[in-house]
Amino acid sequence: MAAHSAALQAAVLAVGLLLVGADCGCGSTSREDGAHSHKQGAAFRYSREANEPPASVQRSGAEKFGDSFVFEGLLSEEVKNGIDQAVAAAPWWLPVKEADWRHPEGPDSDISQRMDHPVLHVSWNDAVAFCTWAGKRLPTEAEWEYACRGGLENRIFPWGNKLEPKGQHFANLWQGDFPYTNTGEDGYVKTSPVTVFPANGYGLYNMVGNAWEWTADWWTTQHSAEEVHNPRGPSLGKDKVKKGGSYMCHKSYCYRYRCAARSQNTPDSSASNLGFRCAADAR
Ligand SMILES: [Ca+2]
Ligand SMILES: [Ca+2]
């Protein structure tokens, strides 16, 4: 499958000062955000839209494993009835056989009407494979966060501090009572097309919400205070950093749709709310 042509557009982001992490005023869930000033040394290019599909040159990890995690609320009764395992800490995630980037909700779903949505069910390993194939790379966490801020300083969201300025939705998130009721007030209970919500000051869409995005960095709970120039995170780890939150994020459970917020998964993980976009060094 050819990549969506718009996905190959890129924004060139200039050198600038980056504040990685911030206080979110949201209690204990903010501990991992950290707060240190870093110089983002090199200019870099960034895909405007996070909807690049995995390379046809390689089967995705979900296809190799034979299953991938899908939010229970999106599954047909038929698919749900065939599953007898769940994740104890998050029972709304079910391992669905034959769920992959072509079949986001399992074998009875497809992406034919979603070619302008973010790709899902792509592991970190496969995201790296795609970006490499495309002559690009994953962004570092610092690059991602710099891109998310869109030129604004000390703001919670890519557009400012207010979640819904003048009552307008700026990102695809969860409205209602997670995980039971998603009212879809923003227009979408699953992913949305990548350009339906406003771009940030750098012309980048969906930096928060819609789909989580992998970064290149290994996860650690705190940012290093020593690594002040173009930080790349720890040299080793178990999990990779993901940023931005998804259409499943609600403040009551996942206040991760902030530029500073972060979470993690193992590099072979895939799920129905996790995608990526590629970056490249500016030439
Ligand atoms: Ca939504
Ligand atoms: Ca996103």
Side-chain angles (χ1 to χ4, degrees):
M1 185 172 70
H4 189 278
S5 59
L8 298 177
Q9 294 176 15
V12 177
L13 304 182
V15 175
L17 185 68
L18 171 74
L19 181 71
V20 174
D23 295 327
C24 72
C26 53
S28 59
T29 57
S30 70
R31 277 178 303 157
E32 80 283 10
D33 293 353
H36 294 290
S37 291
H38 293 293
K39 274 260 194 236
Q40 181 51 53
F44 61 103
R45 291 153 54 85
Y46 211 162
S47 305
R48 281 184 197 278
E49 301 158 359
N51 68 333
E52 301 188 62
S56 55
V57 295
Q58 146 160 355
R59 277 155 54 89
S60 78
E63 288 168 284
K64 282 183 221 157
F65 280 125
D67 64 22
S68 187
F69 283 98
V70 181
F71 174 59
E72 181 188 15
L74 303 181
L75 294 174
S76 67
E77 286 303 318
E78 195 179 343
V79 168
K80 222 187 304 189
N81 290 340
I83 300 168
D84 51 15
Q85 318 165 52
V87 181
W92 48 86
W93 283 118
L94 296 179
V96 175
K97 284 194 171 48
E98 297 175 52
D100 58 41
W101 67 277
R102 292 185 185 88
H103 309 96
E105 294 87 37
D108 58 358
S109 64
D110 68 59
I111 56 172
S112 58
Q113 303 303 311
R114 287 181 267 182
M115 295 303 286
D116 55 352
H117 288 223
V119 66
L120 305 169
H121 294 292
V122 181
S123 70
W124 184 90
N125 294 325
D126 286 335
V128 167
F130 178 86
C131 291
T132 304
W133 170 79
K136 303 176 188 178
R137 59 179 172 77
L138 284 179
T140 65
E141 181 181 6
E143 286 172 337
W144 189 98
E145 192 165 326
Y146 182 85
C148 183
R149 293 180 183 280
L152 299 176
E153 286 182 25
N154 298 318
R155 295 293 188 273
I156 298 171
F157 308 116
W159 55 86
N161 281 334
K162 203 166 172 204
L163 179 60
E164 295 165 13
K166 297 180 181 166
Q168 188 188 351
H169 290 284
F170 273 63
N172 183 7
L173 304 171
W174 181 292
Q175 292 88 37
D177 180 17
F178 184 87
Y180 306 107
T181 317
N182 186 347
T183 65
E185 187 190 287
D186 60 17
Y188 301 91
V189 296
K190 301 193 279 189
T191 56
S192 60
V194 292
T195 56
V196 294
F197 296 96
N200 74 4
Y202 290 151
L204 301 169
Y205 294 93
N206 299 291
M207 292 305 295
V208 299
N210 217 8
W212 281 98
E213 297 169 32
W214 290 112
T215 73
D217 295 16
W218 288 109
W219 169 266
T220 186
T221 51
Q222 289 291 331
H223 294 299
S224 165
E226 292 159 16
E227 197 181 13
V228 295
H229 186 81
N230 215 8
R232 294 179 178 281
S235 54
L236 281 174
K238 183 169 79 67
D239 295 317
K240 288 290 182 178
V241 176
K242 62 179 184 178
K243 298 282 281 185
S246 79
Y247 65 89
M248 289 175 62
C249 278
H250 183 273
K251 193 170 183 178
S252 65
Y253 181 76
C254 166
Y255 190 29
R256 294 290 193 275
Y257 43 91
R258 297 171 288 114
C259 292
R262 49 208 300 267
S263 189
Q264 81 277 25
N265 277 110
T266 57
D268 59 359
S269 299
S270 61
S272 60
N273 66 347
L274 177 52
F276 70 103
R277 78 180 84 194
C278 301
D281 295 334
R283 292 196 193 94

